[in-house]
Amino acid sequence: MSEPLVLGIETSCDETGIGIVRGRTLLANVIASSMDEHARYGGVVPEVAARAHLEALHPAIESAVTEAGVTLAEVDAVAVTSGPGLAGALMVGVGAAKALAVSLDVPLYAVNHLVGHLAADVLTGEAVDYPTVALLVSGGHTSLLLVRDLVSDVELLGETMDDAAGEAFDKIARILGLPYPGGPEIDRAAAAGNPEAIRFPRGLSRASDMADHRYDFSFSGLKTAVARWVEQREAAGEPVPVPDVAASFREAVVDVLVTKALDACARHGVPRLLLGGGVIANRRLREVALARAEAAGVEVRIPPLSLCTDNGAMIAGLAAELIMAGRAASTFDFGADSTLPVTDIQVAVRA
């Protein structure tokens, strides 16, 4: 099929995403978030997320079909996130996708959530050149990838060894007394702060780290450094300059992310960098990446922010690419895989 009509289901975390694409054309992107339900706990609760997916799936599918102006009977294939993500949340989407594919008698494509973020870029209407380095930054994942081909060759260069960048933002927001989710709140507070006020550590950036962890990330030490700095101010009875702390923390995270991404571009001779994941909504990260990449002669691609957060459109888009490349559908003997490697672009492929 040259332009398959694909319905994608994404339930890896706290957002129920249903997307419909025709080839590389986006027709619908419906997202039902349970973020407000998790806010009272200061983070995502897996059981709450799974229940929210159960409640949101049916109306989200109906809304997507209406938005796309198609019927379920017209769908050529169903796609679903098999992993990585929260096991219970993934199970809801996998079960729904299997049921939908059986009822419609159409092929099913079980795909990788992280590679799905890369596929979001093909829905922008502009051709994608390979190879490209990709930096994926979200609440649960911080990964640096070398993408030689979207449907067949994705190499993991490095990933977080502890907290993902999004998790670090949430934890520091809590330390500073800011609401959940932390990313937008840190961004707002940092707007009035001085990013050079405090020199917080840049994890895994020393010369001694380059041999074994050149492209890996660690934000645990940064989180501890911020917490201790705040504790010392409070113990001394001094006010905590929240804007300066937020700006300095954000600058440390952004510096590490962009430095390692551009280093990967230089060492692999790839003048292209793709940014993806919900943390890309961070204004400072986009500013620094664009400015430093331009100085290094690297082209930066950033999908629309609506396609950077978890969504079903990127899952449908990846499946459409697989179909147009002639890849066989998945069998039904797969389940939710919370630790699915990024190199497994599609799982349970038919022989």
Side-chain angles (χ1 to χ4, degrees), residues 198-255:
I198 311 159
R199 176 69 183 185
F200 287 127
R202 274 67 169 159
L204 297 182
S205 294
R206 295 174 300 182
S208 58
D209 297 319
M210 292 299 100
D212 296 326
H213 300 292
R214 189 178 197 97
Y215 300 127
D216 289 322
F217 302 92
S218 174
F219 299 106
S220 179
L222 170 61
K223 177 194 67 178
T224 301
V226 175
R228 287 179 176 171
W229 195 94
V230 171
E231 289 171 359
Q232 289 172 358
R233 293 282 296 200
E234 292 176 337
E238 300 176 0
V240 175
V242 172
D244 284 347
V245 175
S248 299
F249 161 74
R250 183 182 67 174
E251 199 71 8
V253 174
V254 168
D255 187 18

Side-chain angles (χ1 to χ4, degrees), residues 89-106:
L90 289 166
M91 289 172 63
V92 176
V94 168
K98 289 181 178 180
L100 190 58
V102 168
S103 66
L104 297 177
D105 192 24
V106 297

Side-chain angles (χ1 to χ4, degrees), residues 35-300:
M35 187 178 296
D36 290 344
E37 297 177 51
H38 301 285
R40 70 182 72 175
Y41 306 106
V44 176
V45 180
E47 293 80 2
V48 173
R51 173 60 62 180
H53 288 311
L54 280 171
E55 296 173 352
L57 261 172
H58 188 205
I61 291 173
E62 288 187 332
S63 179
V65 168
T66 300
E67 181 180 316
V70 300
T71 65
L72 285 176
E74 297 176 71
V75 170
D76 294 314
V78 173
V80 66
T81 297
S82 174
L86 302 175
L90 289 166
M91 289 172 63
V92 176
V94 168
K98 289 181 178 180
L100 190 58
V102 168
S103 66
L104 297 177
D105 192 24
V106 297
L108 176 62
Y109 285 78
V111 301
N112 191 296
H113 170 81
L114 296 180
V115 184
H117 276 296
L118 306 179
D121 197 52
V122 306
L123 300 176
T124 62
E126 298 181 12
V128 181
D129 293 323
Y130 299 107
T132 184
V133 170
L135 175 65
L136 303 184
V137 192
S138 67
H141 305 281
T142 302
S143 305
L144 196 56
L145 313 172
L146 177 59
V147 186
R148 298 183 182 89
D149 187 277
L150 180 62
V151 300
S152 64
D153 192 349
V154 176
E155 178 184 349
L156 177 66
L157 298 178
E159 60 187 342
T160 182
M161 300 179 67
D162 39 62
D163 290 342
E167 291 174 308
F169 272 96
D170 290 338
K171 292 176 180 178
I172 296 305
R174 191 179 306 126
I175 290 171
L176 296 177
L178 301 175
Y180 174 86
E185 297 297 332
I186 292 287
D187 224 16
R188 278 190 279 270
N194 176 8
E196 299 179 358
I198 311 159
R199 176 69 183 185
F200 287 127
R202 274 67 169 159
L204 297 182
S205 294
R206 295 174 300 182
S208 58
D209 297 319
M210 292 299 100
D212 296 326
H213 300 292
R214 189 178 197 97
Y215 300 127
D216 289 322
F217 302 92
S218 174
F219 299 106
S220 179
L222 170 61
K223 177 194 67 178
T224 301
V226 175
R228 287 179 176 171
W229 195 94
V230 171
E231 289 171 359
Q232 289 172 358
R233 293 282 296 200
E234 292 176 337
E238 300 176 0
V240 175
V242 172
D244 284 347
V245 175
S248 299
F249 161 74
R250 183 182 67 174
E251 199 71 8
V253 174
V254 168
D255 187 18
V256 170
L257 292 173
V258 175
T259 297
K260 286 179 177 275
L262 292 179
D263 181 52
C265 289
R267 286 178 64 87
H268 289 85
V270 177
R272 287 172 290 277
L273 175 62
L274 170 63
L275 304 181
V279 178
I280 301 303
N282 186 284
R283 177 179 54 82
R284 183 60 177 166
L285 175 55
R286 298 197 307 275
E287 288 177 353
V288 172
L290 288 169
R292 289 175 57 179
E294 181 179 8
V298 173
E299 174 195 5
V300 176

